[in-house]
Amino acid sequence: MGKLGKKARKFAKKNLQSVLKRKRKTKALFKKKFSKDEQNDVEEQEDNVSRLSNGRITVTDNVEDACIDAVFAEDDRDEDEDGSDSDGYLSEDSSSPSVAINETENIIEEENASSAYVALNKNIHADLVMKKKKLDRLKKDPEFSKFLESYYGSIQIEETYSDEDDRRDPAQQDENDRSKSQEKPLTGSVIHSWCKQFTEEHSRSALISLLNAYREACHFGAETIGYRFQNSGSFCNILMFMLSNADEIFRRLFQISSLNCRKEGILELKNSSKWNDLKPLVKCYLRSTIFLLNQVNDSEILAFTMTRLRASLLFLAAFPSLLNRLIKATVSLWATSAEVLSSASFLIIKDVATMFGSNHWNTCLSKISVAYLARSRVSEIVDAKRLQFLRDSIVELYSLNVQKSSAKVLASISQLAKMLQWALQTKKKEAVKKICSWEYVNCIDLWVRFISANIHDYDLQPLMFMTIQIINGLAYLFAGPRYFPLRLKCIQWLSFLSSSSGFFIPVASFVLDILEYKVVKEGGRSRNTFNITSVLKLPKYYLKSQNFQEECLLSVLEQLSLHFAQWSYHISFPELAATSLIRLRKFHEITLAENLRRMVKHFIDQVEQNVDFVQRKRDEVPFSPNDYQSVDSFLQLEKPSPQAPFTQYYKGVLEKASQRSSRECGKTR
């Protein structure tokens, strides 16, 4: 084989994938030798050159490693450090005026830290995020996984031997025995006497003892401060008393009304002597309760704790670190728990987002978005209703302040668009796999619901048009019959946006393309039944079954019925339905299954009746097509009437669709 010519070598040097990959590696090596300012200048020049050479903004190389939740990573930080070395124990010595250990005041020093340390922490956090991503990529390597298993196995063996050595140490054993003998027993009578003493005499020492016992109960099994519960009854009594009465106790001590939920009231009290005296008590209760959320597994106890903690959110304004801990714990429970506990968690997240400043608002939005997308990283949706509940919760939270949240929505939609553009340009396997995933699909579904819920009250048309372009690109990229569930979702999104906004979005062509799917041969019914809405890509054997053909036709008729029902009273309905009727008649002629022919014929008859109805009414009107006001009011008086023929047909289609969906869900259980 002869040598390549000059032009061929030049083309290969610029465009071959192996050459580009090698260039990226060498580029990364040389970048390390530049300072930060020089590196930014070089990158800026390269971006400008690429824009000028192509005449448009191109997708950069880092899109290949981009994540859908990357736009939320900046605000999704674990700022839950307490800033205090104290164990939360309150001194029961009555001579101590401050009641608490001095270390509890260290959080003030941390809150007044210099901006230099804050910037340093941000840089460290960014480095940790990058290292975590590299470790996540390494986990996919089977050889690295084997190395980790062998490494951790040796560590566990060493720890076992060290534990055995500790157990064999008699001095350590004697010390443990002495500490156990010094523990104060907590019986039901002791707790009852403390409760009675505080209720009747408002004894400060009794309240401190109750708070220490409550802390011991919340940390039960994790650590101890010198108490020992005699039975489960005393354990439950202290938990119930403090959770039921703590908010009322602290409000009475601070003279705050139960109707007051303004954080400014607590911030004003921070400068008073009463606050310095009572702050350790409040902090002990809040910190213990938040710790309890991560210790208990019983959903009823957690739901009750959430309800009582929600009443005391006002006091968390003075403890930003504890508030961050609470957000992290409630988001985790919201995403992973049952509906009742998840609802209680969401109410706290919602109150935190509205009650506190914009920083906590952004934190709440970012954390619940990341948690929702993390729940979507599955190959098959098992509990669709659960994900719908999480999605609706996020839409409700984002809708509380549309002007603030729309910036995050725009950033997320832009990220989705970049990833889709990268997949369309390169057609790489990894890029396409990221697009055809439940994480990507559920993210689009989330923003479709958000836009539909708020487009009438806010100017969200730019977001809607960007989303429509992404959906159209998704339907174009996955046009084959195996991706029928994904294409059906694209059609449903477009129909939902059209019905909520009132804008006409052409959907019929996407729907009718389903009728042209090429099936190799007709087979019998598939024995392996599954819910088609739980997957994005169908197995090959299912394409040859009669189930697939019926599912396609039923979906076509349902989506066309929805589309035509929205515009059935519009003056241009005859022209809108003309192309669809031609393609449906053609399908009716070539199909062989009698039951499919019957359904298509019935649908064609209903559409033709509505076409004749609109045509007759249109022939009677005196105005011209240029009279837009009269065109918009055409048949608006007849629209609320349920007696129209196509309206009745559409209701029947909806009933059959719901029955079919319930049957499919029952079969898959």
Side-chain angles (χ1 to χ4, degrees):
M1 182 173 149
K3 296 178 84 175
L4 294 174
K6 184 177 180 181
K7 290 185 178 180
R9 289 198 303 273
K10 188 175 181 181
F11 177 84
K13 189 176 180 181
K14 285 186 176 181
N15 297 281
L16 280 183
Q17 295 294 330
S18 58
V19 176
L20 294 176
K21 188 175 181 180
R22 186 166 61 252
K23 277 186 177 180
R24 283 196 294 268
K25 289 183 179 179
T26 55
K27 182 180 175 182
L29 290 173
F30 284 114
K31 275 186 179 179
K32 294 179 182 177
K33 299 180 181 180
F34 291 115
S35 65
K36 285 188 176 179
D37 295 333
E38 293 172 343
Q39 180 178 338
N40 292 335
D41 293 338
V42 171
E43 290 176 353
E44 225 172 52
Q45 291 175 4
E46 290 174 352
D47 288 342
N48 293 335
V49 169
S50 65
R51 288 189 181 96
L52 290 173
S53 62
N54 294 326
R56 58 184 175 84
I57 299 176
T58 58
V59 183
T60 55
D61 290 339
N62 58 358
V63 177
E64 188 174 3
D65 299 327
C67 299
I68 297 175
D69 58 356
V71 295
F72 307 108
E74 294 181 2
D75 300 313
D76 184 29
R77 300 190 183 111
D78 294 334
E79 301 173 355
D80 59 347
E81 292 299 325
D82 192 9
S84 171
D85 297 330
S86 171
D87 59 357
Y89 172 70
L90 299 174
S91 174
E92 298 184 10
D93 184 7
S94 59
S95 63
S96 177
S98 62
V99 185
I101 302 175
N102 292 332
E103 283 85 348
T104 56
E105 302 298 329
N106 290 344
I107 188 172
I108 299 175
E109 298 178 3
E110 183 168 328
E111 292 174 358
N112 297 327
S114 63
S115 59
Y117 287 108
V118 174
L120 181 61
N121 287 337
K122 289 183 178 179
N123 293 333
I124 294 173
H125 179 76
D127 293 339
L128 289 174
V129 170
M130 294 299 296
K131 290 179 180 178
K132 184 177 181 300
K133 289 182 179 179
K134 291 180 180 178
L135 287 174
D136 291 338
R137 286 196 293 267
L138 276 175
K139 287 180 182 179
K140 300 178 181 179
D141 189 356
E143 296 182 359
F144 186 72
S145 301
K146 292 179 181 178
F147 167 74
L148 284 179
E149 290 177 2
S150 60
Y151 179 74
Y152 283 124
S154 61
I155 290 179
Q156 290 175 0
I157 293 172
E158 292 176 4
E159 289 179 350
T160 304
Y161 286 131
S162 64
D163 291 341
E164 291 177 357
D165 294 338
D166 291 340
R167 285 196 294 271
R168 294 189 186 118
D169 189 359
Q172 182 71 23
Q173 186 69 27
D174 293 340
E175 185 178 350
N176 293 336
D177 293 339
R178 284 196 301 271
S179 64
K180 288 182 179 179
S181 63
Q182 293 175 359
E183 290 180 349
K184 301 176 183 178
L186 287 175
T187 61
S189 59
V190 172
I191 294 174
H192 179 71
S193 64
W194 286 342
C195 296
K196 185 177 180 181
Q197 187 178 0
F198 176 78
T199 305
E200 296 178 355
E201 304 175 10
H202 301 290
S203 171
R204 184 186 187 85
S205 61
L207 178 59
I208 294 172
S209 298
L210 287 170
L211 285 170
N212 283 331
Y214 177 69
R215 183 201 178 279
E216 181 72 20
C218 293
H219 289 72
F220 184 78
E223 55 180 308
T224 181
I225 58 172
Y227 287 101
R228 185 176 73 254
F229 289 98
Q230 293 290 347
N231 49 50
S232 60
S234 58
F235 178 85
C236 295
N237 288 340
I238 188 63
L239 281 180
M240 290 300 297
F241 179 82
M242 290 307 301
L243 288 174
S244 302
N245 300 285
D247 181 68
E248 182 182 353
I249 290 171
F250 291 131
R251 286 181 181 271
R252 186 170 67 247
L253 291 175
F254 286 111
Q255 297 179 351
I256 300 174
S257 171
S258 60
L259 301 177
N260 187 359
C261 296
R262 295 174 61 253
K263 67 170 184 175
E264 288 78 12
I266 290 295
L267 296 178
E268 292 172 1
L269 283 172
K270 287 180 69 174
N271 300 323
S272 63
S273 59
K274 182 183 292 187
W275 172 256
N276 294 330
D277 194 26
L278 297 175
K279 174 185 175 181
L281 307 182
V282 179
K283 185 175 182 180
C284 178
Y285 166 72
L286 294 175
R287 181 163 51 184
S288 300
T289 308
I290 294 172
F291 188 85
L292 180 65
L293 298 178
N294 297 319
Q295 293 294 106
V296 180
N297 294 326
D298 187 88
S299 59
E300 294 183 0
I301 296 177
L302 284 171
F304 179 72
T305 305
M306 286 284 189
T307 305
R308 299 309 305 156
L309 191 57
R310 185 188 175 201
S312 304
L313 283 179
L314 172 69
F315 298 103
L316 283 166
F319 309 104
S321 60
L322 292 182
L323 184 58
N324 287 322
R325 283 190 189 183
L326 177 63
I327 294 173
K328 183 179 179 180
T330 49
V331 168
S332 177
L333 291 173
W334 167 79
T336 58
S337 304
E339 187 171 352
V340 175
L341 182 55
S342 183
S343 300
S345 304
F346 176 71
L347 291 176
I348 288 185
I349 298 171
K350 183 178 177 181
D351 288 347
V352 170
T354 54
M355 187 184 301
F356 299 96
S358 59
N359 290 335
H360 292 98
W361 167 274
N362 292 330
T363 302
C364 290
L365 293 186
S366 298
K367 284 189 177 295
I368 65 169
S369 301
V370 170
Y372 173 72
L373 293 175
R375 291 276 294 178
S376 302
R377 295 190 186 106
V378 293
S379 59
E380 183 176 350
I381 298 296
V382 178
D383 192 355
K385 289 185 178 180
R386 175 71 186 144
L387 275 177
Q388 289 174 8
F389 171 78
L390 298 180
R391 178 202 64 196
D392 295 340
S393 300
I394 297 178
V395 171
E396 181 180 351
L397 188 62
Y398 271 77
S399 301
L400 293 176
N401 194 330
V402 176
Q403 293 180 347
K404 282 185 178 180
S405 56
S406 57
K408 285 188 176 295
V409 178
L410 177 61
S412 179
I413 293 176
S414 301
Q415 181 77 353
L416 295 176
K418 289 178 182 178
M419 295 175 67
L420 179 62
Q421 187 179 2
W422 176 257
L424 288 169
Q425 288 180 357
T426 62
K427 299 293 179 66
K428 288 184 177 180
K429 184 178 179 180
E430 290 299 323
V432 174
K433 188 177 179 180
K434 284 184 179 181
I435 303 301
C436 186
S437 65
W438 278 111
E439 185 180 5
Y440 193 92
V441 168
N442 285 338
C443 192
I444 296 177
D445 186 49
L446 175 64
W447 303 139
V448 167
R449 300 288 173 171
F450 169 78
I451 294 169
S452 301
N454 299 284
I455 194 166
H456 283 297
D457 300 324
Y458 299 91
D459 184 18
L460 299 179
Q461 291 185 18
L463 294 179
M464 186 183 73
F465 294 147
M466 288 179 63
T467 307
I468 292 173
Q469 289 179 346
I470 293 174
I471 296 171
N472 289 337
L474 195 62
Y476 169 78
L477 183 60
F478 302 100
R482 291 194 67 184
Y483 297 100
F484 163 69
L486 179 56
R487 191 177 187 85
L488 186 60
K489 285 190 175 296
C490 294
I491 296 168
Q492 292 170 347
W493 290 331
L494 294 176
S495 299
F496 196 74
L497 288 172
S498 178
S499 60
S500 60
S501 64
F503 289 98
F504 174 76
I505 300 176
V507 176
S509 60
F510 285 137
V511 178
L512 294 170
D513 286 344
I514 297 175
L515 296 178
E516 298 180 1
Y517 283 158
K518 302 297 183 182
V519 182
V520 178
K521 62 178 181 178
E522 294 188 4
R525 291 187 174 274
S526 175
R527 296 181 180 179
N528 299 326
T529 58
F530 63 94
N531 189 0
I532 200 170
T533 60
S534 64
V535 295
L536 297 176
K537 187 177 180 181
L538 296 173
K540 290 183 179 180
Y541 72 86
Y542 191 75
L543 302 182
K544 303 176 184 179
S545 65
Q546 190 176 352
N547 303 60
F548 175 67
Q549 301 171 32
E550 292 181 0
E551 187 70 33
C552 288
L553 182 61
L554 290 172
S555 300
V556 166
L557 298 182
E558 289 171 9
Q559 296 305 315
L560 280 180
S561 299
L562 173 62
H563 183 58
F564 287 161
Q566 182 185 353
W567 306 103
S568 59
Y569 291 93
H570 198 270
I571 198 169
S572 62
F573 182 79
E575 288 75 19
L576 172 66
T579 306
S580 300
L581 287 174
I582 294 173
R583 297 181 67 175
L584 286 171
R585 291 192 189 102
K586 182 179 178 181
F587 177 81
H588 179 263
E589 291 176 358
I590 62 176
T591 189
L592 301 177
E594 186 61 32
N595 59 335
L596 303 183
R597 288 170 56 87
R598 194 184 310 113
M599 288 188 289
V600 173
K601 184 65 169 66
H602 184 50
F603 179 79
I604 292 174
D605 293 340
Q606 295 295 325
V607 175
E608 288 179 343
Q609 288 181 19
N610 199 78
V611 168
D612 295 338
F613 169 72
V614 175
Q615 188 69 50
R616 288 197 309 271
K617 294 292 183 180
R618 191 168 68 176
D619 293 340
E620 297 173 0
V621 298
F623 54 83
S624 67
N626 294 329
D627 189 355
Y628 298 118
Q629 185 175 359
S630 300
V631 168
D632 292 337
S633 62
F634 178 74
L635 292 181
Q636 292 303 307
L637 297 177
E638 289 84 349
K639 194 171 184 179
S641 175
Q643 303 300 325
F646 197 81
T647 305
Q648 294 294 324
Y649 173 76
Y650 178 59
K651 288 182 179 179
V653 170
L654 289 180
E655 292 176 0
K656 292 179 181 178
S658 67
Q659 294 174 2
R660 184 164 59 92
S661 178
S662 61
R663 283 198 304 268
E664 289 178 354
C665 292
K667 289 179 181 179
T668 54
R669 288 173 185 173

